[in-house]
Amino acid sequence: MASRPESIAPPEIFYDDVEARKYTSSSRIVQIQAELSERALELLALPEDGVPKLLLDIGCGSGLSGETLSEDGHHWIGLDISPSMLNIAVEREVEGDLLLADMGQGLGIRPGVIDGAISISAVQWLCNADKSSHNPRLRLKAFFTSLYKCLSNGARAVFQVYPENIDQRELILNAAMRAGFAGGIVVDFPHSSKKRKEFLVLTCGQRSMNASVPNGKDEDGESCSDDDMEEDENQTVCISDRHRPRKRPKTNKSGKGREWIMRKKDQMKRRGNVVPPNTKYTGRKRKDRF
C-alpha cells in the first residue's frame, strides 16, 4: 500500500520541483482533479444568475482545480504553500490570482468578499504536526475562523478530504463547527472502497440555519437514499449553529478568598494583635502587573 503524501514530508517539501511537475503532467491526476472540482462546484450550489462569483481555491497547487472554476465563468484566488506548485501554475498561465501562504496560519483576506470556497485533498494536511511549533487543533482553528470571516453571508465552502481515520474526520469537523459553520459530511459512492469520496460541505452566516446537507451519489450517479446513508457506519452528518464555549468563573485555587481573610483578621483581633482596618480592597487579588 502506497504511503500517504502527508505522512512522508510537509507539503512545501514533498511537492518540490520534480514532484510538482510529475503531479501536473499525469493525465490520470488531471482527470481526477477535474471530476472532484466539478463535484465541489456542484455542491457549492451557486445561484444561476449569470453573474461571475469570486471563489477561493485552498491548496490550489498548479491550478488544475482552478481551471474548472474558470471554465464555469468564475473568478478565483488560489492559495498554496508549495512554491514549486505555484511556479508551474504561473507557467501554465492560469487565470486566477495566486497566493503563497500557509492556510494553518489563517487566511489574510478581507472579510465578507468571497462567494464560495473549494479545496481538493488539502485540509487533512493540517492534522499533521510538521514542526515542533505546530498544533493541529490550533491550526485548524486559525484556518476555519479566518475562512468564516472572509466568506459572505450564506456562502458555502466545500472541501474534498480523505482523513486517515475517524479521529481526523472528527477533528476537522469539530473545528469547523466551533468556528461557526453549519454543515456536515457528504459521501459519494459510500459502498465502494475505491471510488468513495468525502466532501465537507459548510455554510456560514444566518442563512446557514435553514441550510441542509446535500445527499451523496451512488454508483449510478444518482442521489443516495436515507437508507443507504444509514447503512454506512462511517457517515457523519452534523448541523450546528455558532456556539462559543462559556467562560468559566474564576476561582481562587488556594481557597483563601475575602471571607477567609476576614475570619483570620477577626481571630487576630481577639488575640490582641494589631490588624489593619478593612477596606474595599481587602481580599482583592492584585493584577500581575500595572
Side-chain angles (χ1 to χ4, degrees), residues 17 82-92 98:
D17 292 341
S82 170
S84 300
M85 280 289 199
L86 294 179
N87 289 337
I88 294 180
V90 172
E91 292 178 8
R92 298 176 66 245
L98 304 175

Side-chain angles (χ1 to χ4, degrees), residues 261-278:
I261 294 176
M262 298 296 289
R263 289 198 305 270
K264 296 299 288 185
K265 293 180 74 171
D266 290 340
Q267 291 178 4
M268 301 274 294
K269 287 180 182 179
R270 290 194 296 268
R271 294 173 182 172
N273 297 326
V274 178
V275 179
N278 296 329

Side-chain angles (χ1 to χ4, degrees), residues 191-203:
H191 305 298
S192 173
S193 58
K194 292 184 178 180
K195 298 181 65 177
R196 177 189 172 97
K197 296 291 184 295
E198 294 187 13
F199 294 86
L200 177 59
V201 182
L202 305 173
T203 311

Side-chain angles (χ1 to χ4, degrees), residues 3 17 30 85 104 108 111 144 156 167 175 183 186 195 199 211 234 289:
S3 300
D17 292 341
V30 170
M85 280 289 199
F144 282 114
R156 275 188 177 182
D167 292 337
V186 175
K195 298 181 65 177
F199 294 86
N234 291 331
R289 60 185 180 81

